[in-house]
Amino acid sequence: MARKGLDTYLTPGKHIHLVGIGGVSMRPLGLVLRGMGMVVSGSDMNASVSTDELIAKGIDVHIGHSAENIRGADCIIRTAAAHNDNPEIAAARAQGIPVFERAQAWGLIMRAYKHAICVAGTHGKTTTTSMITHIFMQAKRDPTVMLGGYLPLLHAGHRVGNGDTVIMESCEYCDSFLNFYPTVAIINNIEADHLDYFKDLDAVKRSFRKFAGLVPQTGYVIANGDDANTRDALSDLRYVSFGLDPKNDVHPEHLSDDFRSFDVICFGKRYASVQLSVYGKHNAYNALGAAAAAYVLGVDGADVAEGLLGFTGAGRRMERKGRFNGADVYDDYAHHPGELHALIDAVKTMGYQRIVMAFQPHTYTRTKALFPDFVAELKRVDLAVLAEIYAARESNKIGISSRDLAAEVPGAVYFETLPEVAAYLRGVAKPGDIILTVGAGDIYKAGELLLQK
C-alpha cells in the first residue's frame, strides 16, 4: 500500500508529534498546527523558554527523547537534527508511523496562500524576512510569518495572519527549502556553507538554482545582482536583480555614507525614500531585497519607507543588551566569516574606540572548512575572546578547538566555559568599548552573565 502524504494528516483532530519541538522553526510549527485544529505533542532534549511557552499554550511537551513519547501519534514531524537513530524516530519506523520533515510541513502550509515569499541566502535571511514583515504589517496585508529568530514587532518568531501572504525564512541546509512552494523567491547571496551536507560551493549553487526553479512563471525570483555566486547560479534564469550597482533592476540613489539613507529605484522609477534604523552595507542590501519583494506584490512605497524605518533589528541580530562599566554590550547571531565581515564593517561605522568580540564558532565542520577566513575576520577586531566551539548537531571527530583559532589571532584569548568568558569581559570592559557576543550557539549567555547586577 502506498504511503499517505503529509497532507492527509494535516487535518483537524489528527495527532501530530514533533521531535525537536523547541527549535526555532519547530516551535511556531507546533503552534500553527494546533491553531489549525490538530492535537500536537512534542519532545526536546532540553527544557527552555521555547518549551515553556508551548506547555503554557496547552501542548504536551516531553523533555528528553523516548519511544514512549510518540504514543497515540498519527504521524511524526522531525527537525533536521533528529536522525533515524533518535529513539522516537526509530520507534515510529518500527511501528509503521510515518515520519515527515519539518520543511515538508511548512511547504504544505504555504500552499494555502496566494503569495508565498520565501527568503533564502547564506546570510541575511532573518533580517530580510523581518524587514518584509514590517513592510507588510505596515501595509495591513495581515501576513502569516515564520522567522528563524525573534522579532519584537511580533513578540515572537512567527505570526498567523488572515491575509493572502505568507512570509517564510527559507534555509538551504539539507536542501530543506526545496520542499517549499514559493511564488516570490529571494536570494540574498550564496557562499560555501553547511559543508557537512554540501560537497562544495558548486553543490550549494545547484541547490539555490533548484530553489529558484520552484517559482512558477507567474511568480518572481528576486536575487542579488552584485553577488557573483548568485549570478553564476542563476545564469540561465530571468530574475529581478537588486544591489548597489545601478545596473540592477532595484538599486539605491543618493546613498548616504553610512548606508542608512537612500532612494529605492525600481526599473528606473523612484519607489520609496528610506531611512534605516539599522547599520551596515549588508542591511542596505537586505532592505533592497525586501523593497523589491514589496514592489512586485504591489505594496505602496510609503509603506516600505515606514516599515523599514520601524525595523530596529531582530533578536540576536545586532541586538543591544545593555551597558557595563561604560561599554555597550550587543549580541549577534553571525557564525560564518561572511557574516562576521558584514558585522565588523557595520560596527566600525558606529564610532566606538575599541571593538571587543567574544566569538563562539558554530559546529566543528564549519570551523575547520572555513578556518583561514575566520582567522582573517577575527584579526579585524581590537580584542578577540574565543569561547569553545558550539557542537550543535555534531561530535568533535575532527579534533578542532577554538584554542586553534586563538593561536592564530594576535592578542586573542581562549576560554573553555562561558562563565570564564564573562569574567574576562568584566575585567577588560571600559568606556568607549563595544562588546559583542557573537555566534549561533549560546554565547549570548556570556553577555547576560556580564550584565547581571
Side-chain angles (χ1 to χ4, degrees), residues 196 363-365 389-400:
D196 57 327
T363 74
Y364 305 109
T365 52
I389 297 168
Y390 188 82
R393 53 190 172 264
E394 297 182 347
S395 57
N396 192 4
K397 298 175 182 177
I398 303 168
I400 194 168

Side-chain angles (χ1 to χ4, degrees), residues 343-358:
L343 172 64
I344 296 166
D345 277 356
V347 171
K348 284 181 179 290
T349 70
M350 295 172 70
Y352 288 98
Q353 294 173 21
R354 190 171 68 147
I355 301 172
V356 179
M357 178 182 286

Side-chain angles (χ1 to χ4, degrees), residues 61-78:
V61 178
H62 305 271
I63 304 304
H65 296 299
S66 165
E68 293 293 311
N69 296 342
I70 69 168
R71 184 176 296 163
D74 292 302
C75 78
I76 309 295
I77 299 175
R78 65 177 173 186

